[in-house]
Amino acid sequence: MAEFARLQPIASERELHLAQITHELRIGELFALAHADEYPVASDEDAPAPRTPDPVLAAIASSQSAEAAMTAFAASAAGRRMTDAERIQEEVIERDQRATRAAVWATVPSTAEGRAALVRHAAYQAELTFGADWRAKAQQEFFGDFLLASLAAVEAETGNGGV
């Protein structure tokens, strides 16, 4: 048991570093690019040309993934003192949250779908910041009127009452 107690933090930190390196190198994206010719392509000549996905949708998906990772991590560490390896892991997750949020705000939507998704994501981030009663709190902030008006316009246009 003493040997396990000594080796477990080392192994945990090693796994954390491997995960961080994999994330920083964007291994999944590189794999997809390397094997892009293996993905199925429609052969029907009459089929409409494939739409290029709005880049903001991928940025939003990455941001929401980072938020989910933090939620899961916080739940796993709730009510107890974190180890050094866990504190390092938390810092990595927080950096990823900040980076993916910044990427969303820096990405200009190129489609109506992307613009609607960006407004919904702004509402999602407001809910994360202010809690379930974010709409009332947002009205007290400078951006609140703008965000709520944009969200109402998106919901009216798409018929989606999302966040």
Side-chain angles (χ1 to χ4, degrees):
M1 190 61 152
E3 184 69 9
F4 173 77
R6 185 180 73 76
L7 292 176
Q8 195 279 331
I10 295 169
S12 179
E13 189 170 334
R14 177 184 167 273
E15 291 300 317
L16 174 63
H17 287 302
L18 287 174
Q20 182 180 4
I21 289 167
T22 299
H23 174 75
E24 289 174 358
L25 293 177
R26 306 275 189 209
I27 297 296
E29 289 90 337
L30 290 173
F31 180 83
L33 287 172
H35 299 283
D37 59 338
E38 295 175 18
Y39 289 96
V41 177
S43 60
D44 185 3
E45 293 177 13
D46 295 330
R51 275 185 35 206
T52 301
D54 194 312
V56 79
L57 300 176
I60 289 169
S62 292
S63 180
Q64 290 177 337
S65 178
E67 298 296 349
M70 179 52 83
T71 299
F73 176 80
S76 73
R80 63 178 177 78
R81 186 175 175 174
M82 288 191 292
T83 66
D84 289 342
E86 287 173 323
R87 279 193 284 283
I88 292 169
Q89 183 179 6
E90 181 182 41
E91 290 173 10
V92 169
I93 294 170
E94 286 176 348
R95 277 196 305 270
D96 192 39
Q97 277 182 302
R98 286 190 299 274
T100 58
R101 285 177 191 159
V104 169
W105 306 136
T107 304
V108 177
S110 60
T111 64
E113 177 187 14
R115 289 185 290 278
L118 183 60
V119 172
R120 286 191 195 99
H121 185 71
Y124 167 76
Q125 287 294 326
E127 184 173 2
L128 287 177
T129 301
F130 295 111
D133 60 342
W134 71 270
R135 289 175 190 258
K137 291 178 182 175
Q139 287 177 327
Q140 299 169 4
E141 298 293 328
F142 173 74
F143 74 91
D145 291 338
F146 166 76
L147 176 57
L148 293 172
S150 299
L151 186 58
V154 164
E155 290 171 348
E157 179 73 23
T158 62
N160 185 353
V163 177

